[in-house]
Amino acid sequence: MSAPHTSLRAYGLRSFLLYLPRIVRGLLISLGQFFRRPVTIQYPETKAPISPRFRGEHKLTSNERGQMKCVACFMCQEACPARCIS
């Protein structure tokens, strides 16, 4: 009965040695991330940098006569907080 027991022990050791480098690599990655500078910012005090391509929120504008300049993009429907535009 000792032969299957040693075979199981050898199989367990073999699989442990197979996955040991992967476990160590994962722990090293976690350890490296632990010592990095945090990427979070203190929002109300510090504002996030804005991309030069950012153009602001969408809004429906009007021309000089007071008529709405609509191009049927439905962005006003998406921007409406009350969802009353359909």
Side-chain angles (χ1 to χ4, degrees):
M1 290 275 262
S2 66
H5 183 63
T6 41
S7 137
L8 269 172
R9 181 181 285 166
Y11 179 72
L13 181 63
R14 191 178 328 138
S15 64
F16 177 73
L17 291 176
L18 179 67
Y19 290 112
L20 185 65
R22 295 176 183 170
I23 291 171
V24 170
R25 183 174 177 225
L27 288 173
L28 287 175
I29 289 172
S30 298
L31 191 64
Q33 293 293 326
F34 182 74
F35 290 110
R36 275 192 171 178
R37 213 173 117 202
V39 294
T40 55
I41 60 169
Q42 301 297 325
Y43 171 65
E45 293 85 21
T46 308
K47 300 290 184 184
I50 297 175
S51 170
R53 296 183 64 175
F54 180 71
R55 297 184 182 177
E57 291 186 25
H58 295 283
K59 67 177 186 176
L60 193 59
T61 57
S62 57
N63 61 9
E64 59 278 347
R65 289 185 277 170
Q67 298 172 336
M68 293 295 163
K69 296 181 357 179
C70 181
V71 293
C73 66
F74 298 108
M75 289 308 296
C76 55
Q77 180 179 352
E78 293 296 321
C80 180
R83 300 284 180 217
C84 60
I85 301 173
S86 58

